[in-house]
Amino acid sequence: MSTSDVGNAKTATPIGRMFSDCSVRTKILTAVFVVAAVAAGIGVLGIDSLDSVRDRAVNIDTDGVVPLGHLSDLHNAEMKARMEIFGYAAEPDVKQKQSWLDGLHQDDSDISAALAAYKATDPADAAAVATFEKEWDAYVQIRDNQMLPAAAAGKLDQVMAIQDSDAQ
C-alpha cells in the first residue's frame, strides 16, 4: 500500500474528499463557522434557560415572598394591637390614653388591610385564614366589650386576667 493510498483512504467519503480539496483558508473559515454556530446554539439555550429561571423567580416572589410580607404585616399589627390595650390600661394621663386608643383603632385598620392584601394573593390555606378571621373577631369583641372598659378605668390587673383567660 502506498502513501497515496493511505491518503485516499482518509478521504474516501465524498465530504472528506471535498474538504481535503479545499484551501487552508476555506478549512479555517469552516472551522470558525462551525464554532460560531455551536456558540450561538449554546447562547440560545442559555437565554432560554435564563427565561425559565426568571419565570420561576417571579413565581417565588408572587407566590411566596409577597404573601409572606402580608402575613408579616398582619402579625405585626395583631401583636401591636394586643400590646396597645395594655398601654391604654396603664396610662394615667388622659391625653396619652386617647393616643393609645387611637393607635389601637389604627392597628385594627392595619389588620384589615393586611388581611385583605393576603387574601388577594390566593392563600395556600383558606381554612386557616377563615379560622384567624373568626378568632380575631372574637378577640375584638372581648377586647371592646370587656378589656377596654376595664382599661379605661385603669384596671390593668383585670385587663391582664381577661387576656390570660378569655382573650387568647
Side-chain angles (χ1 to χ4, degrees), residues 67-89:
L68 286 177
H70 296 312
L71 279 178
S72 175
D73 294 342
L74 177 63
H75 176 73
N76 290 339
E78 178 195 0
M79 291 295 103
K80 190 174 173 200
R82 288 179 180 268
M83 289 187 291
E84 284 193 304
I85 188 73
F86 293 104
Y88 177 69

Side-chain angles (χ1 to χ4, degrees), residues 2-56:
S2 70
T3 56
S4 63
D5 291 338
V6 172
N8 286 341
K10 291 181 182 175
T11 59
T13 64
I15 294 176
R17 275 192 300 270
M18 182 179 74
F19 195 69
S20 68
D21 291 340
C22 294
S23 68
V24 171
R25 177 180 175 203
T26 303
K27 291 176 183 177
I28 291 172
L29 286 175
T30 302
V32 168
F33 286 132
V34 168
V35 169
V38 169
I42 290 171
V44 168
L45 182 63
I47 289 171
D48 185 53
S49 295
L50 286 176
D51 284 343
S52 174
V53 168
R54 184 207 49 190
D55 292 343
R56 283 183 274 164

Side-chain angles (χ1 to χ4, degrees), residues 18-167:
M18 182 179 74
F19 195 69
S20 68
D21 291 340
C22 294
S23 68
V24 171
R25 177 180 175 203
T26 303
K27 291 176 183 177
I28 291 172
L29 286 175
T30 302
V32 168
F33 286 132
V34 168
V35 169
V38 169
I42 290 171
V44 168
L45 182 63
I47 289 171
D48 185 53
S49 295
L50 286 176
D51 284 343
S52 174
V53 168
R54 184 207 49 190
D55 292 343
R56 283 183 274 164
V58 167
N59 286 341
I60 288 170
D61 183 56
T62 303
D63 298 339
V65 175
V66 171
L68 286 177
H70 296 312
L71 279 178
S72 175
D73 294 342
L74 177 63
H75 176 73
N76 290 339
E78 178 195 0
M79 291 295 103
K80 190 174 173 200
R82 288 179 180 268
M83 289 187 291
E84 284 193 304
I85 188 73
F86 293 104
Y88 177 69
E91 183 62 55
D93 182 33
V94 174
K95 275 188 177 177
Q96 290 297 326
K97 213 168 186 65
Q98 184 59 46
S99 176
W100 284 105
L101 190 58
D102 293 343
L104 188 61
H105 293 304
Q106 180 60 49
D107 296 335
D108 288 344
S109 296
D110 292 346
I111 288 169
S112 295
L115 185 59
Y118 179 66
K119 286 168 67 174
T121 64
D122 192 26
D125 190 353
V129 173
T131 299
F132 171 80
E133 285 182 291
K134 180 180 161 212
E135 290 178 2
W136 180 252
D137 289 343
Y139 170 79
V140 169
Q141 290 298 317
I142 293 168
R143 181 195 70 193
D144 292 351
N145 296 326
Q146 297 176 34
M147 295 171 81
L148 277 177
K155 298 178 181 176
L156 183 58
D157 290 341
Q158 186 178 355
V159 172
M160 291 176 84
I162 295 168
Q163 174 66 37
D164 289 340
S165 62
D166 298 334

